[in-house]
Amino acid sequence: LNYNAIAQGYACDLVASYLEGAGVKDMLVNIGGEIVCSGVNPAGAAWTIGVDRPVDGNNVSGADLKGVMEAGPERCGVVTSGNYRKFYVKDGKKYAHTVDPRTGWPVQHSLLSATIVAPDAVTADAFATYCMVLGLDGAVKFIEGRPDLEAYLIYEDSEGVMHAWHSSGFRLVKE
């Protein structure tokens, strides 16, 4: 069992707070793919962040992207949770690493990944995992009821074709 569900998001927030205390205004802190960004990039533009295509075997961040988003200048956390890197297969069936606490079993639904933008990374980290527990319909309903969150949800239809949904404020610049 791995209990570090929000550790990397929390660590990003700590580093960003330290940098802000030192007077840094423009930053992108990335710890294991969990991100806090603020201000603008070195070119003076919004930060661009890739969202990995959630396919089994895509183990190198940025190698195969499903979309690209913009963030900043306001500080925010950007975190993606998914079941395409941490899983196992037994008797031909895939078991995700995300466990539904209501059942005690790995989740079984069509949601492949959830990218969440929140005021901080620890919140984004927690809610990205929460969305992965809820599944697509539950996650959409949850996000639509939260004006403080934006989301990009990637899912598979019944024929195995990948699709994406994003909230109205999610700044998707390339899909």
Side-chain angles (χ1 to χ4, degrees), residues 19 68 147 170:
L19 292 171
V68 177
F170 189 88

Side-chain angles (χ1 to χ4, degrees), residues 14 81 103-104 154:
L14 289 178
S81 289
T103 66
I154 304 172

Side-chain angles (χ1 to χ4, degrees), residues 18 23-24 33 67 87-88 92 109 119 150:
Y18 172 81
V24 176
F87 63 90
Y88 70 94
H109 52 60
E150 300 298 339

Side-chain angles (χ1 to χ4, degrees), residues 8-97:
Q8 290 170 307
Y10 178 68
C12 282
D13 288 334
L14 289 178
V15 171
S17 293
Y18 172 81
L19 292 171
E20 287 172 340
V24 176
K25 303 282 186 226
D26 302 313
M27 71 178 91
L28 187 143
V29 177
N30 179 341
I31 299 177
E34 276 70 345
I35 293 172
V36 169
C37 59
S38 181
V40 295
N41 68 21
W47 294 102
T48 55
I49 300 168
V51 179
D52 287 325
R53 183 176 306 282
V55 295
D56 297 353
N58 185 359
N59 294 321
V60 179
S61 294
D64 183 12
L65 298 178
K66 171 68 174 148
V68 177
M69 63 165 289
E70 284 185 341
E74 66 285 340
R75 179 179 168 168
C76 65
V78 180
V79 175
T80 300
S81 289
N83 287 321
Y84 55 100
R85 290 195 175 131
K86 297 177 185 173
F87 63 90
Y88 70 94
V89 177
K90 183 175 181 185
D91 299 328
K93 184 173 181 177
K94 180 179 174 180
Y95 293 90
H97 80 284

